[in-house]
Amino acid sequence: MRNVAVILAAGKGTRMGSRISKQYIDVLGKPVIYYTLNAFENSTVDEIILVISEQDRNYVEETILNHYGFHKIKRIVCGGKERYHSVYNALKQAGEADNVLIHDGARPLILPGQIDMLVKQMEIYKACVAGMPVKDTIKIVDQDQYVTDTPERSRIWQVQTPQVFRYSEIKEAYDKMMLEEHPAVTDDAMVLEKYGNPDFKHEIRLVEVSYENIKVTTKEDLIFMKGILLNRGR
Protein backbone atom coordinates (compact mmCIF):
# COMPACT_ATOMS: atom_id res chain seq x y z
CA MET A 1 0.00 0.00 0.00
CA ARG A 2 1.34 3.41 -0.94
CA ASN A 3 0.69 6.01 1.76
CA VAL A 4 0.85 9.68 0.80
CA ALA A 5 0.65 12.47 3.37
CA VAL A 6 -0.88 15.85 2.55
CA ILE A 7 0.46 18.56 4.87
CA LEU A 8 -1.61 21.75 4.83
CA ALA A 9 0.50 24.86 5.49
CA ALA A 10 -1.09 27.55 3.33
CA GLY A 11 -3.09 29.33 6.03
CA LYS A 12 -2.30 32.72 7.48
CA GLY A 13 -3.40 32.04 11.04
CA THR A 14 -4.95 35.45 11.71
CA ARG A 15 -5.91 34.50 15.29
CA MET A 16 -2.21 34.29 16.15
CA GLY A 17 -1.88 38.04 15.71
CA SER A 18 1.61 37.65 14.23
CA ARG A 19 3.17 39.45 11.27
CA ILE A 20 4.30 36.08 9.89
CA SER A 21 2.24 32.97 9.29
CA LYS A 22 2.01 30.77 12.38
CA GLN A 23 3.64 27.77 10.69
CA TYR A 24 6.87 29.75 10.30
CA ILE A 25 7.10 31.11 13.85
CA ASP A 26 10.28 30.07 15.62
CA VAL A 27 9.95 27.63 18.53
CA LEU A 28 13.18 26.49 20.19
CA GLY A 29 15.21 27.49 17.17
CA LYS A 30 13.07 25.89 14.46
CA PRO A 31 9.88 26.94 12.66
CA VAL A 32 6.63 25.28 13.68
CA ILE A 33 6.28 23.54 10.32
CA TYR A 34 9.68 21.87 10.78
CA TYR A 35 8.34 19.72 13.63
CA THR A 36 5.35 18.62 11.55
CA LEU A 37 7.42 17.72 8.51
CA ASN A 38 10.07 15.98 10.62
CA ALA A 39 7.46 13.67 12.15
CA PHE A 40 6.21 12.56 8.73
CA GLU A 41 9.73 12.34 7.33
CA ASN A 42 10.54 9.81 10.06
CA SER A 43 7.29 7.86 9.71
CA THR A 44 6.51 5.03 7.30
CA VAL A 45 4.63 7.25 4.82
CA ASP A 46 6.07 7.02 1.31
CA GLU A 47 5.63 10.60 0.17
CA ILE A 48 4.68 14.06 1.41
CA ILE A 49 2.74 16.62 -0.60
CA LEU A 50 3.23 20.02 1.00
CA VAL A 51 0.55 22.66 0.46
CA ILE A 52 1.71 26.27 0.88
CA SER A 53 0.80 29.71 -0.43
CA GLU A 54 2.52 30.66 -3.67
CA GLN A 55 4.14 33.72 -2.10
CA ASP A 56 5.90 31.51 0.47
CA ARG A 57 7.34 29.06 -2.04
CA ASN A 58 10.87 30.47 -2.30
CA TYR A 59 11.14 30.91 1.46
CA VAL A 60 9.97 27.37 2.17
CA GLU A 61 12.25 25.77 -0.42
CA GLU A 62 15.37 27.65 0.68
CA THR A 63 14.87 28.05 4.43
CA ILE A 64 13.10 24.80 5.31
CA LEU A 65 13.25 22.11 2.65
CA ASN A 66 16.84 22.58 1.50
CA HIS A 67 18.11 23.50 4.95
CA TYR A 68 16.67 20.48 6.77
CA GLY A 69 16.91 17.99 3.91
CA PHE A 70 13.42 16.52 3.88
CA HIS A 71 13.57 13.80 1.23
CA LYS A 72 9.96 12.61 1.28
CA ILE A 73 8.55 15.94 0.09
CA LYS A 74 8.11 15.14 -3.59
CA ARG A 75 5.62 17.82 -4.53
CA ILE A 76 4.72 21.34 -3.45
CA VAL A 77 1.16 22.46 -4.22
CA CYS A 78 -0.34 25.93 -3.98
CA GLY A 79 -3.18 26.34 -1.51
CA GLY A 80 -6.63 27.69 -2.29
CA LYS A 81 -8.98 30.25 -0.83
CA GLU A 82 -10.42 27.86 1.77
CA ARG A 83 -8.94 24.81 3.48
CA TYR A 84 -11.01 22.42 1.37
CA HIS A 85 -9.66 24.04 -1.80
CA SER A 86 -6.13 23.34 -0.56
CA VAL A 87 -6.96 19.72 0.20
CA TYR A 88 -8.54 19.26 -3.22
CA ASN A 89 -5.53 20.75 -4.99
CA ALA A 90 -3.34 18.19 -3.23
CA LEU A 91 -5.68 15.26 -3.85
CA LYS A 92 -5.55 15.94 -7.57
CA GLN A 93 -1.77 15.39 -7.38
CA ALA A 94 -1.94 12.16 -5.33
CA GLY A 95 -3.56 9.78 -7.80
CA GLU A 96 -1.00 7.01 -7.23
CA ALA A 97 -1.79 6.77 -3.51
CA ASP A 98 -3.67 3.88 -1.94
CA ASN A 99 -4.15 5.73 1.34
CA VAL A 100 -3.93 9.47 1.91
CA LEU A 101 -3.18 11.09 5.27
CA ILE A 102 -4.46 14.67 5.57
CA HIS A 103 -2.76 16.67 8.31
CA ASP A 104 -2.74 20.28 9.46
CA GLY A 105 0.75 21.73 9.33
CA ALA A 106 -0.10 23.61 12.52
CA ARG A 107 -0.26 20.33 14.49
CA PRO A 108 3.50 20.01 15.02
CA LEU A 109 3.47 17.66 18.01
CA ILE A 110 2.31 14.52 16.22
CA LEU A 111 4.87 11.72 16.57
CA PRO A 112 6.11 9.28 13.89
CA GLY A 113 4.86 6.31 15.90
CA GLN A 114 1.37 7.81 16.07
CA ILE A 115 1.34 8.33 12.31
CA ASP A 116 2.44 4.72 11.79
CA MET A 117 -0.29 3.50 14.15
CA LEU A 118 -2.97 5.22 12.08
CA VAL A 119 -1.55 3.79 8.86
CA LYS A 120 -1.53 0.32 10.42
CA GLN A 121 -5.19 0.72 11.39
CA MET A 122 -6.03 1.11 7.71
CA GLU A 123 -5.36 -2.60 7.28
CA ILE A 124 -8.56 -3.14 9.25
CA TYR A 125 -10.73 -0.03 8.84
CA LYS A 126 -11.83 2.08 5.88
CA ALA A 127 -10.98 5.43 7.47
CA CYS A 128 -9.13 6.39 10.65
CA VAL A 129 -9.31 9.81 12.28
CA ALA A 130 -7.04 10.96 15.09
CA GLY A 131 -8.83 12.28 18.14
CA MET A 132 -9.32 12.12 21.89
CA PRO A 133 -12.34 11.92 24.19
CA VAL A 134 -13.29 15.35 25.51
CA LYS A 135 -12.41 16.12 29.12
CA ASP A 136 -14.98 18.85 29.71
CA THR A 137 -18.76 18.82 29.75
CA ILE A 138 -20.11 20.24 26.50
CA LYS A 139 -23.15 22.51 26.26
CA ILE A 140 -25.25 23.16 23.16
CA VAL A 141 -26.48 26.74 23.05
CA ASP A 142 -28.84 28.82 20.92
CA GLN A 143 -27.92 32.03 19.10
CA ASP A 144 -28.28 33.99 22.34
CA GLN A 145 -25.98 31.60 24.23
CA TYR A 146 -28.72 30.00 26.31
CA VAL A 147 -28.22 26.28 26.95
CA THR A 148 -30.47 24.02 24.89
CA ASP A 149 -28.87 20.64 25.54
CA THR A 150 -26.05 18.80 27.33
CA PRO A 151 -24.86 15.82 25.27
CA GLU A 152 -23.48 12.72 26.95
CA ARG A 153 -19.76 13.41 27.41
CA SER A 154 -18.69 9.79 26.93
CA ARG A 155 -19.84 9.95 23.31
CA ILE A 156 -18.05 13.18 22.37
CA TRP A 157 -14.54 13.37 20.92
CA GLN A 158 -12.33 16.25 19.91
CA VAL A 159 -11.18 15.57 16.38
CA GLN A 160 -7.57 16.00 15.32
CA THR A 161 -5.41 15.15 12.33
CA PRO A 162 -4.01 13.09 10.64
CA GLN A 163 -7.18 11.80 9.08
CA VAL A 164 -6.50 8.76 6.91
CA PHE A 165 -8.66 7.58 4.00
CA ARG A 166 -8.67 5.31 1.00
CA TYR A 167 -7.60 7.69 -1.74
CA SER A 168 -10.29 6.69 -4.23
CA GLU A 169 -13.08 7.23 -1.70
CA ILE A 170 -11.98 10.61 -0.33
CA LYS A 171 -11.21 11.89 -3.84
CA GLU A 172 -14.65 10.87 -5.11
CA ALA A 173 -16.32 12.56 -2.14
CA TYR A 174 -14.31 15.75 -2.74
CA ASP A 175 -15.21 15.67 -6.44
CA LYS A 176 -18.90 15.71 -5.50
CA MET A 177 -18.45 18.38 -2.84
CA MET A 178 -16.59 20.74 -5.17
CA LEU A 179 -19.67 20.95 -7.38
CA GLU A 180 -21.31 23.01 -4.61
CA GLU A 181 -20.63 26.73 -4.39
CA HIS A 182 -20.25 27.01 -0.62
CA PRO A 183 -19.92 23.57 1.01
CA ALA A 184 -20.33 23.63 4.78
CA VAL A 185 -17.61 21.26 5.99
CA THR A 186 -15.15 21.64 8.84
CA ASP A 187 -12.95 18.55 8.43
CA ASP A 188 -12.18 15.88 5.86
CA ALA A 189 -14.13 13.12 7.58
CA MET A 190 -17.19 15.34 7.27
CA VAL A 191 -16.68 15.38 3.49
CA LEU A 192 -17.06 11.59 3.48
CA GLU A 193 -20.04 11.80 5.82
CA LYS A 194 -21.87 14.20 3.51
CA TYR A 195 -20.68 13.30 0.03
CA GLY A 196 -19.35 9.76 0.21
CA ASN A 197 -21.20 6.47 0.26
CA PRO A 198 -24.35 6.97 2.41
CA ASP A 199 -23.23 4.18 4.75
CA PHE A 200 -19.62 5.31 4.91
CA LYS A 201 -19.95 7.56 7.94
CA HIS A 202 -20.46 4.41 10.00
CA GLU A 203 -17.05 3.18 8.80
CA ILE A 204 -15.04 6.18 10.05
CA ARG A 205 -13.17 5.12 13.17
CA LEU A 206 -11.89 7.57 15.77
CA VAL A 207 -8.47 6.52 17.08
CA GLU A 208 -6.96 7.83 20.31
CA VAL A 209 -3.69 9.62 19.60
CA SER A 210 -2.70 12.15 22.28
CA TYR A 211 -3.89 15.27 24.07
CA GLU A 212 -0.48 16.69 23.16
CA ASN A 213 -1.47 16.70 19.48
CA ILE A 214 -2.65 20.30 19.72
CA LYS A 215 -3.32 22.71 16.89
CA VAL A 216 -1.23 25.85 17.18
CA THR A 217 -3.76 28.65 16.77
CA THR A 218 -3.07 31.34 19.39
CA LYS A 219 -0.03 32.65 21.27
CA GLU A 220 -0.97 30.50 24.26
CA ASP A 221 -0.59 27.40 22.08
CA LEU A 222 3.03 28.34 21.38
CA ILE A 223 3.65 28.25 25.13
CA PHE A 224 2.07 24.79 25.37
CA MET A 225 4.07 23.59 22.37
CA LYS A 226 7.36 24.78 23.82
CA GLY A 227 6.58 23.16 27.16
CA ILE A 228 5.72 19.80 25.56
CA LEU A 229 8.89 19.84 23.45
CA LEU A 230 11.04 20.65 26.46
CA ASN A 231 9.39 17.88 28.44
CA ARG A 232 10.00 15.40 25.63
CA GLY A 233 13.62 16.45 25.54
CA ARG A 234 14.01 15.54 29.19
Side-chain angles (χ1 to χ4, degrees):
M1 301 290 285
R2 183 168 180 79
N3 299 292
V4 174
V6 172
I7 308 297
L8 302 169
K12 293 299 181 184
T14 54
R15 283 180 287 179
M16 182 63 71
S18 172
R19 62 181 177 82
I20 63 174
S21 300
K22 62 184 179 182
Q23 57 267 30
Y24 307 127
I25 294 175
D26 184 278
V27 177
L28 298 179
K30 295 181 176 67
V32 169
I33 190 64
Y34 160 83
Y35 298 97
T36 308
L37 294 174
N38 191 57
F40 281 85
E41 179 76 19
N42 289 285
S43 75
T44 58
V45 300
D46 299 289
E47 178 183 340
I48 300 169
I49 298 176
L50 179 61
V51 185
I52 59 174
S53 64
E54 180 60 32
Q55 65 188 37
D56 293 334
R57 190 181 186 100
N58 289 338
Y59 169 80
V60 170
E61 289 181 346
E62 295 174 8
T63 308
I64 298 175
L65 304 189
N66 294 338
H67 181 68
Y68 294 110
F70 294 121
H71 302 295
K72 289 186 178 180
I73 300 174
K74 304 300 184 183
R75 279 167 281 190
I76 297 178
V77 176
C78 291
K81 182 179 179 181
E82 303 292 343
R83 181 186 184 278
Y84 59 82
H85 291 122
S86 295
V87 174
Y88 192 56
N89 288 348
L91 289 176
K92 288 186 290 185
Q93 299 295 319
E96 77 288 352
D98 294 299
N99 297 322
V100 61
L101 300 84
I102 303 174
H103 186 70
D104 296 320
R107 288 190 187 271
L109 296 171
I110 191 72
L111 294 171
Q114 294 165 348
I115 298 167
D116 294 345
M117 175 192 65
L118 287 163
V119 170
K120 187 72 174 176
Q121 294 278 310
M122 290 296 290
E123 296 177 4
I124 305 172
Y125 305 103
K126 292 184 178 180
C128 291
V129 174
M132 293 298 291
V134 300
K135 297 179 180 180
D136 301 317
T137 295
I138 303 298
K139 298 290 185 181
I140 308 299
V141 300
D142 61 19
Q143 61 184 5
D144 297 314
Q145 297 183 19
Y146 288 101
V147 173
T148 61
D149 193 20
T150 304
E152 183 182 347
R153 186 172 61 183
S154 64
R155 294 174 58 84
I156 301 174
W157 283 51
Q158 59 187 56
V159 176
Q160 304 173 347
T161 64
Q163 299 189 3
V164 194
F165 310 96
R166 300 276 185 251
Y167 172 78
S168 59
E169 292 166 343
I170 191 67
K171 175 62 164 55
E172 182 179 1
Y174 259 92
D175 286 340
K176 292 178 181 178
M177 184 191 73
M178 296 304 292
L179 297 175
E180 294 193 4
E181 187 172 356
H182 298 292
V185 296
T186 54
D187 78 331
D188 305 294
M190 191 175 178
V191 177
L192 271 185
E193 293 167 34
K194 294 186 67 173
Y195 301 96
N197 186 305
D199 297 324
F200 197 89
K201 62 183 176 181
H202 301 295
E203 301 288 343
I204 302 172
R205 189 169 192 271
L206 270 290
V207 179
E208 284 196 25
V209 173
S210 173
Y211 288 112
E212 291 185 352
N213 186 26
I214 63 171
K215 187 175 183 180
V216 174
T217 303
T218 65
K219 292 179 178 179
E220 291 81 4
D221 296 325
L222 292 172
I223 297 173
F224 300 146
M225 177 183 172
K226 183 177 180 179
I228 292 169
L229 288 171
L230 289 172
N231 184 63
R232 287 178 179 177
R234 286 197 294 268

